[in-house]
Amino acid sequence: MRKTIIEIGYRALYEKDSQNSLEEELKEIIKGLFKELLFIKNHLMLDEKELLSTLIILIYDIKKDEGSILSIGDGVVCINGNITEFDRDNKPDYLAYHLHEDFENWYSGLSQKIFFDHLNDVSIATDGILSFLKSKKTDSDEIINFTEYLMIDQANNDTEDMLNRKLKQLEHQYGVKPTDDLAIIRMIK
């Protein structure tokens, strides 16, 4: 992913006249990633199962105040307080399943996209955010919505470790931890 984005960034520096839409930029990134994964899979003789991973991409144009999110696999997105779950009954449609297909046909069928404008607060997360379970007994019987707490609540937003603090609070005050891999990226304007 990093290689693809760096290459696209350098190309944009030299092609200043080019004004791609967010959809075109998103497609270019996914196409580059698609080619790189196919090359790596073949070069390293990897099995499809070794390439299965969730991919959630957020592209935001600061000048136009508009953005786009694409989820390939299961995930959760929150834009200005509106939460969207991309869940396929724990049978995610990973990119690796489609490396043998024609990119254009595959890409045109992607449906887990959101376009937005007027960004104030955005979060993207893997589906691990939905996996919190009680791991130890605590004094608190209070019920908390973990997704809203991590993706909407702005407590501690003045610190760089806001999400880390919230995860520790969930563990120590409520006795809960995620039971699946959890990655969250949050931007607050």
Side-chain angles (χ1 to χ4, degrees), residues 52-54 72-76 85-94 97 112 126-131 179-181:
L52 300 182
S53 62
T54 296
I72 301 174
D74 290 346
V76 179
E85 290 181 28
F86 294 112
D87 185 15
R88 301 176 71 108
D89 295 324
N90 220 15
K91 296 176 190 155
D93 191 20
Y94 295 122
Y97 293 149
Q112 297 188 156
T126 59
D127 63 344
I129 199 166
L130 304 172
S131 72
T179 59
D180 194 0
D181 294 338

Side-chain angles (χ1 to χ4, degrees), residues 151-166:
M151 299 180 102
I152 297 174
D153 182 277
Q154 292 198 13
N156 299 317
N157 75 348
D158 56 341
T159 65
E160 287 185 21
D161 63 341
M162 170 187 171
L163 293 172
N164 196 31
R165 285 184 181 192
K166 286 184 172 193

Side-chain angles (χ1 to χ4, degrees), residues 15-189:
E15 299 171 2
K16 292 182 181 177
D17 299 339
S18 176
Q19 291 292 324
N20 289 339
S21 69
L22 284 175
E23 173 64 25
E24 291 168 331
E25 287 187 31
L26 183 61
K27 183 177 180 181
E28 187 177 1
I29 290 168
I30 299 300
K31 188 173 191 173
L33 181 61
F34 193 92
K35 287 180 181 178
E36 288 296 324
L37 279 176
L38 183 58
F39 172 78
I40 289 168
K41 179 182 184 279
N42 293 335
H43 184 71
L44 298 177
M45 296 186 297
L46 297 174
D47 184 75
E48 181 180 86
K49 291 179 181 131
E50 295 174 287
L51 296 171
L52 300 182
S53 62
T54 296
L55 176 66
I56 304 172
I57 296 179
L58 164 68
I59 296 179
Y60 179 67
D61 185 327
I62 294 172
K63 292 177 186 167
K64 294 180 181 176
D65 193 19
E66 61 184 23
S68 176
I69 296 175
L70 171 66
S71 176
I72 301 174
D74 290 346
V76 179
V77 172
C78 182
I79 303 167
N80 298 331
N82 297 313
I83 295 175
T84 303
E85 290 181 28
F86 294 112
D87 185 15
R88 301 176 71 108
D89 295 324
N90 220 15
K91 296 176 190 155
D93 191 20
Y94 295 122
L95 176 61
Y97 293 149
H98 303 281
L99 293 176
H100 64 280
E101 296 177 26
D102 174 69
F103 173 80
E104 296 295 332
N105 290 335
W106 170 76
Y107 188 83
S108 66
L110 291 178
S111 61
Q112 297 188 156
K113 294 181 200 173
I114 298 175
F115 296 94
F116 60 90
D117 55 9
H118 308 299
L119 178 68
N120 292 314
D121 187 355
V122 64
S123 303
I124 59 177
T126 59
D127 63 344
I129 199 166
L130 304 172
S131 72
F132 280 85
L133 290 176
K134 199 84 160 159
S135 63
K136 65 181 179 180
K137 187 156 178 61
T138 60
D139 295 335
S140 176
D141 289 333
E142 187 180 346
I143 297 173
I144 186 168
N145 182 318
F146 313 115
T147 307
E148 288 179 8
Y149 179 63
L150 293 170
M151 299 180 102
I152 297 174
D153 182 277
Q154 292 198 13
N156 299 317
N157 75 348
D158 56 341
T159 65
E160 287 185 21
D161 63 341
M162 170 187 171
L163 293 172
N164 196 31
R165 285 184 181 192
K166 286 184 172 193
L167 288 171
K168 289 190 183 311
Q169 183 179 12
L170 288 172
E171 180 180 358
H172 298 294
Q173 184 176 341
Y174 299 97
V176 296
K177 292 174 89 172
T179 59
D180 194 0
D181 294 338
L182 174 61
I184 303 172
I185 297 173
R186 185 167 181 193
M187 295 186 324
I188 302 172
K189 213 174 193 183

